[in-house]
Structure formats: C-alpha cells, structure tokens
Amino acid sequence: MSIASQEAGQASRFALGLVDMLDRVEYRRVSPEQQLDPIYRLRYEAYRREEFIQPNAQGIVRDEFDELPNAYAYGVYLDGQLVSSVRFHYMTQDFRTAPSHSVFTDVLDPLLDDGATFIDPGRFTADHEASLAFPALPFLTLRVVVMATVHWGVDYCLSSVRPEHVAFYRRVFNSKKLSAERYYHGLSFPMVLYASHVPSTIGGLCERYPFFKSTEMERQLMFGPKASTGMILPTARMAHMLSQRHQALAC
C-alpha cells in the first residue's frame, strides 16, 4: 500500500470516527435576549486564559456584533456539557455589517458590490479541558459553519484567523488569502483574512469529512424561520447514509 493510500485510509477512519462522536453531541442556538448565556462566559474564560482581554466584573465577552439581525451564535454540547461555541454572520450586498467587514472593508466591499454572499464565522472558543481531551473539537464546532454555507448557498466562507491557524483552514477548507495581517477590535493579536469558495469546495469537503453533512431538517432547526432554541441533534450519520444510497442508485 502506498503512503498516499495509507494517509487516505487514516483520514477516512478519523472522519467516520467523528460521525460516531456526533452521537454524543448536541447544538443549541443562543437567543439574543439571553445577555448572560453560558457561551459568553466560555468566551471570557478562553480569552482571559490567553490574556487576550482585560478582566471585567461580569465575567463575559459580548459585543455589538452579537446584537445584529444577521448574527447567529451556538453552543456545542458533548455528553450534556458545554464544550465550545461559535458565532457567524450572514453577509449580503444589502446587509454587510459583520466583524470581518469592519476590519477588511476595502477587501470585501468590491466582492459584495458584485453580489457575492458570505458566512463570516468568529468567536470560536472552547473549554480548555475539553479541547485537551478532544483534539477534534474544532471540526465538531465548525460543522455549524459548514451547515450555514449550505443553508444559505453562499459564495464564500471567510476565516479571519490568527496567522498560526492559517494552515488548518488552508488544508481543510482550501481557503485562499485575501488580506495581510490586521488587528481586530479589542484583541491584542493580529488576524489575517482567508476565504473558501463554497461552490467549488463543499462537495469534496463533505466527502472527505462526512461528519460535515446534514439534512435539510437539521438545517431548518438550526437556521430556519422557525429555528429551535432547544438542543438539536446532528444528522450527519443519516445524511451520509442517504448520500451513499443515492450514489449507489446512480451507478
């Protein structure tokens, strides 16, 4: 067996292992009215641990971007415990207010002017102990973002990330660099802007990593007009089985 075949086999075992792990995972959308939701404390603890922010009396991190109508924030629960969270904004030509746009305005405005649409993820934070125990936690968390790109059928998924995290987004999402380092509001470290072109990457991404797959039912519960504020169970296993059945019928 070649080295390439061995690596492919290892990637497949990893991906299918995460499908199994999703049986222990639940997602929960954060209501904007819940000013003291636990995800804001999780953000605070993560940023304070790295000394990225100054202490505050409330012990939470919440900003003006959490209040926007195009903002969506989620908690990720493993075995009933909050282990990570992520927020994203859905950006269009008519509503472009979002964290990445506030920093990389000159880069994104020409694309928005041409009608491009974006998912802009951010505030990805994780419980320290959980991140040590489950190194694959970023994949389970970013699954929310992948589902959002499918739900809205966007052109690009942005990644405003620290330079040391760039390799992950290039490798997993085939993201391309849009801008050099700049500083984001209130943070002491620089960020770079990358973007993944969703139409050309989503098919291969979900085949390599089937845990990113989802059903329309799950996406409606997560993002639809009647989205649930309760715990939402992942449907990656069902979606993967359905896609395999479809491929078999097509052969």
Side-chain angles (χ1 to χ4, degrees), residues 138-211:
F139 288 95
L140 301 179
T141 308
L142 292 174
R143 181 174 178 270
V144 175
V145 176
V146 173
M147 284 194 290
T149 67
V150 174
H151 177 76
W152 278 285
V154 297
D155 298 296
Y156 297 96
C157 184
L158 299 175
S159 301
S160 295
V161 297
R162 293 158 61 181
E164 58 266 34
H165 294 163
V166 163
F168 172 83
Y169 291 91
R170 291 177 61 183
R171 174 173 56 86
V172 175
F173 299 103
N174 196 31
S175 298
K176 308 297 183 184
K177 188 176 183 179
L178 295 187
S179 176
E181 295 180 8
R182 298 183 185 181
Y183 280 86
Y184 181 78
H185 318 286
L187 297 181
S188 61
F189 51 84
M191 311 284 279
V192 291
L193 182 65
Y194 275 68
S196 173
H197 183 245
V198 175
S200 62
T201 60
I202 190 67
L205 177 71
C206 288
E207 286 309 309
R208 290 194 310 275
Y209 304 109
F211 52 83

